[in-house]
Amino acid sequence: GNSGGSHRPKSDKDESKEFVRPLGAEDSLLHKEYIKGYPDNTIRPENNLTREEASAILDRVTEDKSMTKKVFNYPDVEQNRWSYNNIENLSNKGGIKGYPDGKFKPVNKITRAEAATILVRLENETGSNKNIPEEIKNHWAKEEINIAIEKGWIKGYEDGSIKADAYITRAEFVALVNRMLGRNVNYDKIEEEIIPSKVL
């Protein structure tokens, strides 16, 4: 995530180091660096992901996705906010929406269910809706979560649980996005502090 500064995304030269580097094809969109560190050069992989951070990540990896031309005037997203362009872009791509009161609530934390729902809707994915795990059979996002499971994006925890309403961490979200992209990770070039976080 970033903080402060112009609402226009900074160039790679100005931003902190990323912490996921792909294997090869460095110039393709598939292998674009999409996770940036904080201004103090920390990664904070176990921090919970916010709505604006998720918007920034997903806007970067879907640069080629078509958009509507609607202007989303979220009253709590100022035009000089660092994530303004990302939020508006992702909203136009159909990946994220505001709340019923019209606000976006950019610093709200995202749950694992919300993360799965955003990706499924962004990619227009469908599934069989069969074999929905007992843990989520009454969940509001059961279909989207199950699609993410069917696609192999969500693996669950070692005890088999999904924990749909738990807040997702930055490291977990990276794992989810990489699986969605079919993207391999070069663990030799990842900061040591994120290596233990390989499940979602």
Side-chain angles (χ1 to χ4, degrees):
N2 301 297
S3 61
S6 170
H7 69 278
R8 295 191 177 279
K10 298 178 181 178
S11 69
D12 288 341
K13 293 180 180 178
D14 295 330
E15 291 185 299
S16 305
K17 59 186 175 183
E18 48 78 32
F19 71 95
V20 173
R21 294 183 184 273
L23 295 174
E26 293 295 333
D27 294 330
S28 71
L29 180 59
L30 176 63
H31 293 286
K32 179 180 174 64
E33 296 176 0
Y34 63 84
I35 301 292
K36 308 296 178 181
Y38 290 88
D40 63 359
N41 288 332
T42 60
I43 304 301
R44 307 179 201 176
E46 299 307 320
N47 273 21
N48 294 128
L49 193 77
T50 65
R51 285 169 57 81
E52 65 182 340
E53 288 175 332
S55 297
I57 290 169
L58 294 177
D59 182 35
R60 290 173 188 144
V61 299
T62 58
E63 285 185 351
D64 60 344
K65 191 173 183 66
S66 62
M67 295 190 291
T68 63
K69 294 184 179 180
K70 181 179 178 181
V71 176
F72 290 83
N73 293 315
Y74 299 119
D76 55 344
V77 181
E78 308 82 4
Q79 288 193 2
N80 64 350
R81 191 179 189 91
W82 73 266
S83 58
Y84 177 84
N85 284 350
N86 300 127
I87 291 170
E88 183 162 312
N89 287 347
L90 197 66
S91 295
N92 275 301
K93 293 171 186 176
I96 201 163
K97 301 177 181 178
Y99 287 87
D101 62 2
K103 293 182 179 180
F104 186 80
K105 303 180 183 179
V107 297
N108 272 23
K109 299 172 185 175
I110 283 186
T111 65
R112 289 161 58 82
E114 289 170 331
T117 298
I118 291 170
L119 294 187
V120 167
R121 292 177 179 170
L122 185 62
E123 294 299 300
N124 296 313
E125 293 288 356
T126 58
S128 66
N129 291 324
K130 295 180 179 179
N131 303 315
I132 294 177
E134 184 72 19
E135 181 186 348
I136 61 169
K137 70 174 187 177
N138 295 317
H139 197 279
W140 64 269
K142 64 182 179 182
E143 293 181 7
E144 289 84 359
I145 297 169
N146 202 50
I147 290 171
I149 292 172
E150 289 178 350
K151 297 293 180 183
W153 301 347
I154 289 182
K155 304 292 186 180
Y157 289 92
E158 292 181 1
D159 62 1
S161 63
I162 297 168
K163 300 180 182 177
D165 293 321
Y167 292 126
I168 195 168
T169 67
R170 286 164 56 83
E172 288 176 330
F173 193 71
V174 167
L176 193 158
V177 171
N178 280 346
R179 290 175 189 143
M180 178 192 76
L181 295 175
R183 180 167 163 172
N184 294 320
V185 179
N186 185 345
Y187 285 102
D188 291 335
K189 294 191 176 183
I190 297 179
E191 297 290 332
E192 291 182 1
E193 61 179 314
I194 81 160
I195 288 177
S197 303
K198 296 181 182 177
V199 297
L200 177 59

